[in-house]
Each structure stands twice: as C-alpha cells, then as structure tokens.
Amino acid sequence: MSDLSPIIKQISFAEQSLLQQRRIDNGGANSSGSSGTSMGVIFTGNFHHSVPNHLIFDGQLKPADKLLWQVLRAFISNPQMPGYVPSREELSAAMVCSAPTVANSRATLRINRWMTFCRSVRDELQRFVGDVYLLHEEPLSLADTLELDSGYVQFLEAQVSGASAGKANRNLASQVLAQISALESTPRSPTQLESMEDRLREAVFGKSALITTSEELDSHVKNFNTALADVEGENTSEKIAVNEAMRASEGPLESHDKNFNAGQNSHVKNLNTAFDHNLSEKENSLHGSEENIFYPRSIGSSSININKYITTRAHKGIHPSTEPARRHDADLDKPLAECLAASHLGWLVADTTQPMLFLWEVYRTNIPVIGRVLLGLGEEARRDVMCQLFGRMIFNVKHPGTEPIRNIVSFTKALVDRRRDNVMMLDEWGQMVKEAIEDSEPHFLIGQGGVI
C-alpha cells in the first residue's frame, strides 16, 4: 500500500490555511462564518519553467552556463518573492558539477550580462557572506549594466589578467573590452520599441547555430513568411527586404549641435578657438548628434553578446546636463574618487581639484568607458586629454550659458583622435587643470586666488 502521508500532510496544511484565512477575513469577531467561500488547491504534478529561446541558442554560453541560469531560475517559484539565496553546495548538487565549474559559469553569465552583480555582503565581523546578483531573461544593455554594476569593466579586466579565469572567459572578456574601447558614443539602453523590433528581427532573420546555409535559413523562416503571404497576398520576403532597406536608409537623428557664442567674453573666445581647432571634424558628435547606431542580435554570430545593446542612439532633448545620473544602492557607498581610481584616472583627484570633482558625478556611469577609451594612448597623452576634458567641464560651470557636453564618450573619443594625430592643444582651462594637478596651483580653491 502506498504511503499517503505526504499528501495527507499537505491536505492538513491546506485545511489550516483555509481556517486561518477565514479568521483573518472575519477579523476574529464573527464566529458564525462568512457568506464567502474559499478553496484549497494542491498541485500534484511536475513544476514547469520556461527558458528564453535566446538562452538556448546563445553561442557564447556553454551547456553548464545555460544550466546554471535554469537552476537559478527554477529555485525562484514565487513571483511575490523573486529572490533566492542558493548555496554553492546546492548549485553544485543541482548541476551535478564541481564548485569551480559553478564559479566559472557564473563569471560567464556576468560577462555576457545575463547576470548583473549588485553588491557583496559581509557580516558584522566583515567576513564575506556572499554576493547579490540580478538574473535577466535576456542580456542587459551595457548602459544599464554600468549603472547597476560600477565595477563591470574592472571585472572584465580582472578576467583578462587573472590566472583563475578560464581561457574561454579570458577571450570573451577581452572581446567585450575591445568593443567598449571602440565605442564612438555614450552607450544607452534601447527603448521598448527598439527591443521589440530587435526580437522580431531575430525571430525572422536570426541564424541559429544549427543553421549553416542560406537554404536552411530560408526553410527556418518559411512558415512565418508563408503566413504573412497568405494574409497580405504578396511576396513577403520582398516586403521584408524593402522594410529593412528603408530602416537602413534612415538619416541621423535630429542634431543638437550648437556653436559657442562668439560674443562671450575673452575667456570664451579663447576656448572657442582652441576647441574649433581641436575638434572641428567631430563637432556634431560632441554635442550628441551621432548616427543612428543600433547593433542587432544575431544568433550564432561571434558577437552575439558583445555588441548586444551596446547602442549609442541619442535621446532627443536629453543630455547629462538636464538628466541627473541615476544612483543605485550599489554605488551609494562608493566615493567618486574610487570610481576614478578604478578606471585608471585616480591621478585626477588632488587637493587642488577636489572642489571641482563633483562635476564627474553626472558622468559617473561613463567613467569606466572613458578609462577604456584612453588606454590606447600613452600616459602623457592620456593626461592631456583628461585635463582638456576636465577643463571643459569646469568652463561650463563658469559660463552657464554655454553648450554643455551632451555626449561625453564622443567628446573624449574626438580628443583622443586629435591627440593621437598630435594636433590637440590645451586651452587655458585645460592648462589650469594640468597646473592644479602637477604643480598644485590653487586655480579652483576659493579664497586662495582661485578663478571659481
């Protein structure tokens, strides 16, 4: 005879739950019962979990990486309690693998942005307890990752240089860093409409790793195309091709470029001359009017999770001077000086520049990207570029009516290109920053001869 004790136990638990719910509904005052009735239901089958299609066909993830994502998701069964704290032993047992394999897969998911690190937790004796992560149904955009995980770029650098990282993770982290270093503009998150377009494009044109020829790809989307043709009565593939061509021909978004006012005082005039000379070829991108750049997903391609959502299309009418940087709990306890130091820019922090460091707060999430962009230059050249950039930020404070830096990554990239070609020169504000750092000149110290 079968042991029914587990079922009986669950039935008893449901009975007690119904009685407790009735007492709560009646407030304990009405012992005669209520006109409403409830029902207890006990599910006796297997629990099922959905898995993102993109996760299954993600060519950058190994089977263990995909299994780890599924195990983490399976342990979260209550939508009202979306958090779970699995131990390393539980994950190893569920995946039937060793603890190092779990750690390696977790690093892979973070590199590919299927998971986002939030913070490390320590007890009252400062002993390490564990880390807190976010688990995503698709890779998070680079912009959102940098806002939530200020140490993402440093993590990638550690994966490249660390002996503990596997070869696959070192290569993957190196590719992601190369993509970040090559950014021409400030990364941003895709809009919901762009995400929908991207998913539909992937559903129709996304080439699975299992598909190797164009004929197979045609067969892969045959049902979709046939259904459209039946409804519209026309050649669907031609229509899709026309739509794609129309999207590809979209012009750049509305430019927000404005020239400096030539009627400003002599300080403004001198700065205009220097910037016109240094940045004439990049002026549109400096003020936020870049090309309509969007990197589509491509299942099975080598850049499946590298270029994904490293998108730089400008939002109309929004720039750092009018939209304060969002702050998250993960960054609240991290001083700005530490953020600069982690991105190889700690030398900017000095007693003589301290009053102006707050200007970097608006660009906090872009500091790691700027640090990567600068790594292609020598030490002296990097310092010149950052002095010029910092000087421009200070200039905007001194002259509020001037055009702010709308796209700081494009701005920095333009300065880097000019410095690499040996045609960049420091204007008076960049020179003051350099003197404040290298010679401790009190240019920005109020009451000590400072100009601000």
Side-chain angles (χ1 to χ4, degrees):
M1 184 176 179
S2 300
D3 182 12
L4 300 179
S5 58
I7 297 178
I8 295 174
K9 186 176 181 179
Q10 291 297 324
I11 294 174
S12 299
F13 180 78
E15 179 184 4
Q16 294 300 318
S17 297
L18 286 171
L19 292 173
Q20 181 181 5
Q21 185 63 45
R22 173 56 58 84
R23 287 192 292 268
I24 293 175
D25 292 342
N26 293 338
N30 183 6
S31 59
S32 61
S34 172
S35 58
T37 60
S38 299
M39 179 175 63
V41 179
I42 303 170
F43 181 60
T44 63
N46 290 313
F47 286 92
H48 300 270
H49 303 279
S50 61
V51 179
N53 186 72
H54 187 53
L55 179 77
I56 297 175
F57 292 106
D58 192 330
Q60 295 291 346
L61 301 182
K62 302 182 296 295
D65 309 331
K66 301 175 183 181
L67 179 58
L68 175 59
W69 189 99
Q70 295 176 66
V71 168
L72 291 172
R73 179 63 186 89
F75 276 123
I76 304 174
S77 57
N78 186 350
Q80 294 181 342
M81 301 179 63
Y84 174 66
V85 186
S87 67
R88 183 168 56 182
E89 291 73 19
E90 286 178 313
L91 293 176
S92 298
M95 295 175 63
V96 193
C97 66
S98 64
T101 299
V102 174
N104 187 72
S105 293
R106 183 177 60 186
T108 304
L109 291 176
R110 185 180 175 188
I111 293 172
N112 287 276
R113 301 195 292 280
W114 283 96
M115 289 177 61
T116 301
F117 172 80
C118 294
R119 62 173 58 178
S120 293
V121 179
R122 296 183 179 275
D123 62 15
E124 60 277 2
L125 299 178
Q126 293 302 305
R127 293 174 299 191
F128 178 75
V129 177
D131 296 323
V132 178
Y133 289 87
L134 299 178
L135 187 67
H136 311 297
E137 66 175 2
E138 60 183 358
L140 196 65
S141 70
L142 176 63
D144 288 337
T145 299
L146 292 176
E147 287 203 26
L148 291 167
D149 181 5
S150 60
Y152 178 65
V153 172
Q154 288 72 48
F155 163 74
L156 295 176
E157 292 173 342
Q159 288 291 306
V160 172
S161 59
S164 60
K167 181 179 179 181
N169 280 353
R170 284 199 298 269
N171 292 338
L172 185 57
S174 178
Q175 293 178 57
V176 177
L177 285 174
Q179 291 289 337
I180 294 175
S181 300
L183 284 174
E184 295 286 345
S185 182
T186 302
R188 71 160 184 85
S189 303
T191 64
Q192 287 185 313
L193 179 58
E194 290 164 354
S195 297
M196 287 189 291
E197 292 173 347
D198 193 37
R199 294 188 187 103
L200 289 173
R201 186 183 301 110
E202 180 180 299
V204 180
F205 296 103
K207 185 175 180 181
S208 167
L210 303 176
I211 301 172
T212 57
T213 65
S214 59
E215 289 78 14
E216 290 177 275
L217 179 61
D218 291 339
S219 175
H220 183 64
V221 298
K222 180 179 179 181
N223 292 337
F224 180 83
N225 288 342
T226 302
L228 285 180
D230 290 340
V231 174
E232 301 176 3
E234 57 185 33
N235 191 318
T236 306
S237 60
E238 290 183 4
K239 184 171 182 178
I240 293 176
V242 171
N243 290 338
E244 288 295 305
M246 291 177 64
R247 287 183 54 79
S249 64
E250 289 179 353
L253 297 177
E254 178 184 356
S255 172
H256 298 292
D257 179 36
K258 295 180 181 179
N259 293 323
F260 279 90
N261 187 348
Q264 296 276 357
N265 57 37
S266 59
H267 289 304
V268 182
K269 183 176 180 180
N270 291 338
L271 185 99
N272 286 343
T273 303
F275 270 83
D276 287 343
H277 175 72
N278 283 330
L279 306 170
S280 58
E281 296 179 1
K282 296 285 185 179
E283 192 162 353
N284 284 334
S285 63
L286 298 183
H287 300 293
S289 58
E290 62 270 1
E291 290 287 337
N292 183 0
I293 303 173
F294 184 74
Y295 297 94
R297 291 181 287 183
S298 177
I299 293 180
S301 71
S302 60
S303 60
I304 186 169
N305 282 331
I306 299 173
N307 279 338
K308 175 177 173 56
Y309 292 158
I310 302 184
T311 177
T312 57
R313 195 185 312 182
H315 283 301
K316 295 183 179 180
I318 299 177
H319 56 78
S321 66
T322 57
E323 183 183 8
R326 286 179 287 175
R327 293 294 301 274
H328 298 275
D329 289 344
D331 287 334
L332 288 179
D333 299 328
K334 190 169 186 179
L336 194 59
E338 289 186 17
C339 294
L340 290 167
S343 299
H344 319 288
L345 301 174
W347 55 271
L348 283 173
V349 182
D351 292 339
T352 49
T353 59
Q354 193 69 38
M356 294 292 105
L357 285 182
F358 75 93
L359 296 174
W360 286 99
E361 189 63 50
V362 177
Y363 306 105
R364 173 185 282 260
T365 58
N366 296 127
I367 289 175
V369 179
I370 293 173
R372 292 299 308 179
V373 170
L374 291 170
L375 287 182
L377 297 176
E379 180 65 24
E380 181 180 357
R382 288 201 298 268
R383 286 177 173 260
D384 285 347
V385 169
M386 288 306 297
C387 287
Q388 183 65 36
L389 177 61
F390 200 1
R392 169 61 186 273
M393 294 161 61
I394 297 173
F395 167 82
N396 286 334
V397 172
K398 180 64 176 178
H399 304 278
T402 56
E403 185 72 16
I405 301 175
R406 298 181 184 274
N407 194 322
I408 194 165
V409 174
S410 286
F411 198 103
T412 306
K413 182 70 172 175
L415 289 174
V416 168
D417 292 342
R418 301 293 290 181
R419 183 61 178 83
R420 185 179 287 115
D421 295 336
N422 295 318
V423 293
M424 192 201 87
M425 63 180 182
L426 292 177
D427 61 37
E428 59 183 305
W429 291 89
Q431 189 63 38
M432 282 193 291
V433 172
K434 188 172 184 178
E435 292 172 357
I437 295 174
E438 297 181 357
D439 303 326
S440 299
E441 291 289 340
H443 293 309
F444 312 117
L445 299 181
I446 299 176
Q448 300 186 35
V451 297
I452 295 181

